[in-house]
Amino acid sequence: MQKLAGAAVAAVLTAGMLGVGAVEVSAATAKALPTGKFHVHTMQTEKTESDQKFKATKTGKIQYTLTKKQYNHSVGVRLITCGSDWKSLTGWKEFKKEYGDYYTFDKKVKKGTCFRIQAGRSWAKDIDGKVKGHLKKA
């Protein structure tokens, strides 16, 4: 009886180890979403936009993170359409996390939509960041 119980425990442990390995392999082979870099020079008196333009290749949500701020002040960003008569695509998201942690914008961006990043009024000066999602440079 004890030999059977020991064999059952060994089988469960072996299956558990194999299961963990399978999860790690599937996570490693998952395709990473494309990223794009942006730069915005913020001003305390007006909203400013990035020069970099991106185009959604698939309908879905876009994520962003900041990689650098010149001064440690808060800054909010949102997505807007390309062109001089831009429209807001998402709501404002204030960056509060650590550098490299991604925020997800609240609304989906439709396939084929050209967008840029707009920063709100801030004393942060120059900010650099990345956007991640189904996108390409426009």
Side-chain angles (χ1 to χ4, degrees):
M1 190 73 167
Q2 290 177 344
K3 280 187 176 182
L4 289 175
V9 169
V12 169
L13 289 175
T14 304
M17 285 187 274
L18 290 175
V20 169
V23 170
E24 289 173 4
V25 169
S26 66
T29 58
K31 189 174 181 183
L33 291 173
T35 60
K37 294 181 181 181
F38 67 89
H39 174 82
V40 181
H41 178 77
T42 64
M43 301 178 74
Q44 62 273 17
T45 56
E46 60 186 58
K47 301 171 194 163
T48 53
E49 296 84 30
S50 68
D51 290 333
Q52 297 78 16
K53 297 177 184 178
F54 304 96
K55 192 171 215 171
T57 58
K58 205 175 182 184
T59 299
K61 292 194 176 186
I62 303 293
Q63 298 177 323
Y64 89 95
T65 187
L66 295 184
T67 55
K68 182 181 127 187
K69 287 192 289 186
Q70 189 170 352
Y71 296 109
N72 194 18
H73 290 276
S74 65
V75 61
V77 298
R78 67 178 174 176
L79 300 180
I80 59 170
T81 57
C82 299
S84 59
D85 57 339
W86 55 264
K87 294 179 184 174
S88 174
L89 294 173
T90 62
W92 289 99
K93 282 284 188 181
E94 188 171 341
F95 186 78
K96 295 179 183 176
K97 296 183 181 183
E98 297 293 321
Y99 293 117
D101 291 342
Y102 281 88
Y103 277 102
T104 302
F105 286 106
D106 55 351
K107 295 180 183 175
K108 290 183 179 181
V109 177
K110 292 182 182 176
K111 180 181 178 179
T113 304
C114 179
F115 64 90
R116 331 182 257 171
I117 290 80
Q118 183 181 49
R121 298 173 186 96
S122 174
W123 291 84
K125 273 296 208 186
D126 291 310
I127 60 170
D128 293 321
K130 292 181 183 177
V131 287
K132 179 168 73 170
H134 296 286
L135 55 93
K136 65 179 181 180
K137 287 205 174 224

